[in-house]
Amino acid sequence: MGAQIRVYRQKISSTTSMRKIFKAMELIATSRIGKARARVSSSLPYANAITRAVSAVASQSEIDHPLTTEPDQVRRAAVLIMTSDRGLAGSYSATVLKQAESLLELLREEGKETKVYLVGRKAQAYFDFRHRAYERVWTGGTDAPEFETAREVGNVLLDQFNLDFEDGGVDEIHVVYTRFRSMVTQEPTVIRLLPLEVVEEEAASESDILPLYEYEPEPERVLDALLPRYIESRIFAALLQAAASELAARQRAMKSAGDNATELIKKYTRLRNTARQAEITQELSEIVAGADALNAS
């Protein structure tokens, strides 16, 4: 009986320690989610402004630009998958990877080859464990992304898009990430980055009219200058959305884990008390039985 009590005491002690860790991680995620949401909001004005500029050039000019023109045949597609570097965020990374698997399967059914690019150690571990190939991975700072990372990713993808198919190039680029809706809602999202699908982060009102521009130099050169920056801004916006989603998922997961730990501590405490009471009852019974034996002798 005493051994059983020691087991419950050890479980209570270890669970209490784990609860402290969960609480600390919950507080850290809660303190950082505000900054992450602020970064998402602050990125919108620039992203929307450059989106409107690209939209104006693409819609008001009769031009044939490779970044805005649908290819006759899509033979190979690049897929950029954004997950987290660390775990303890519930099903955050698993949900993104499930969405990515659906997209890859759809592309294969359409007869397209795929080239996979990864962001986050969770995606890297997922593909490594299954011995599946990927072209490149970026890790470190998924919960606090830097613009330089978005620029590097954008340059790599643009280089692949500008290559001929025979040289290993791709005909279209897709991005799979998690869009931050609110603290309780994060939505796995797939966008086609190239060929260009101009989509603003915030829908414009019906009264918004794209400005008329006179181009100097010609529109093709304007697009050559604008589109790389547009791609960078879209990738960076996706990284920021994913970071906010990761922190929100981690905060929610750690709160749930802490609540479960509290319930386990209560359960183990009841079991320990029950075992202690049974031990005391047994000791009293032994004392009474010994006294009766003495009296009988």
Side-chain angles (χ1 to χ4, degrees), residues 7-284:
V7 169
Y8 289 135
R9 285 175 178 170
Q10 291 172 356
K11 289 184 176 181
I12 292 171
S13 178
S14 61
T15 307
T16 301
S17 299
M18 292 297 296
R19 183 176 62 177
K20 291 179 181 178
I21 295 174
F22 297 149
K23 185 62 176 178
M25 295 191 69
E26 177 190 353
L27 292 175
I28 292 172
T30 302
S31 66
R32 298 180 64 183
I33 188 64
K35 183 178 180 180
R37 295 176 67 181
R39 293 185 72 190
V40 171
S41 299
S42 63
S43 71
L44 289 178
Y46 175 78
N48 287 342
I50 197 169
T51 296
R52 288 174 59 82
V54 173
S55 300
V57 179
S59 62
Q60 297 172 12
S61 303
E62 296 296 330
I63 60 175
D64 184 16
H65 195 279
L67 299 184
T68 59
T69 304
E70 292 283 346
D72 296 332
Q73 181 183 8
V74 178
R75 294 165 291 180
R76 183 181 295 129
V79 179
L80 176 65
I81 305 172
M82 297 182 180
T83 63
S84 64
D85 281 327
R86 298 184 295 128
L88 299 178
S91 61
Y92 167 74
S93 292
T95 304
V96 177
L97 289 168
K98 182 179 179 180
Q99 186 74 32
E101 288 286 16
S102 298
L103 173 62
L104 291 171
E105 181 64 26
L106 176 62
L107 293 174
R108 284 192 288 266
E109 289 177 356
E110 294 174 352
K112 302 173 184 176
E113 299 179 25
T114 57
K115 298 180 74 171
V116 177
Y117 297 83
L118 307 175
V119 174
R121 293 190 180 92
K122 287 297 179 181
Q124 182 182 18
Y126 179 87
F127 279 80
D128 286 343
F129 180 77
R130 289 160 178 79
H131 304 289
R132 294 169 58 180
Y134 51 87
E135 301 300 318
R136 187 164 175 182
V137 60
W138 290 267
T139 60
T142 57
D143 55 355
E146 300 293 336
F147 185 75
E148 287 303 319
T149 302
R151 176 172 294 167
E152 183 180 351
V153 175
N155 290 337
V156 170
L157 294 179
L158 275 175
D159 289 343
Q160 288 294 307
F161 189 79
N162 290 327
L163 278 178
D164 293 333
F165 175 80
E166 291 75 14
D167 297 327
V170 299
D171 300 310
E172 62 183 13
I173 299 173
H174 300 268
V175 180
V176 186
Y177 70 103
T178 305
R179 182 183 294 273
F180 181 85
R181 296 293 188 185
S182 67
M183 286 296 296
V184 296
T185 304
Q186 297 86 46
E187 179 182 284
T189 304
V190 177
I191 61 172
R192 196 185 73 173
L193 199 61
L194 290 175
L196 185 64
E197 289 182 337
V198 178
V199 180
E200 294 207 19
E201 291 294 326
E202 295 178 347
S205 64
E206 294 182 0
S207 61
D208 288 343
I209 301 176
L210 292 174
L212 294 173
Y213 293 120
E214 292 184 2
Y215 304 106
E216 180 66 33
E218 58 274 10
E220 288 83 355
R221 293 182 62 183
V222 174
L223 277 179
D224 286 340
L226 282 180
L227 281 171
R229 291 171 174 78
Y230 173 80
I231 297 304
E232 292 170 1
S233 70
R234 290 294 299 272
I235 292 176
F236 188 51
L239 287 171
L240 292 176
Q241 293 268 357
S245 300
E246 177 186 345
L247 290 170
R250 180 166 292 114
Q251 187 269 342
R252 194 166 58 251
M254 291 300 96
K255 184 180 187 305
S256 177
D259 293 343
N260 290 338
T262 299
E263 292 300 317
L264 276 176
I265 291 171
K266 292 180 181 178
K267 175 183 176 181
Y268 290 144
T269 300
R270 286 196 298 268
L271 292 173
R272 183 198 62 187
N273 292 339
T274 301
R276 179 58 180 160
Q277 290 171 356
E279 184 181 42
I280 293 173
T281 301
Q282 182 178 353
E283 291 175 354
L284 290 175

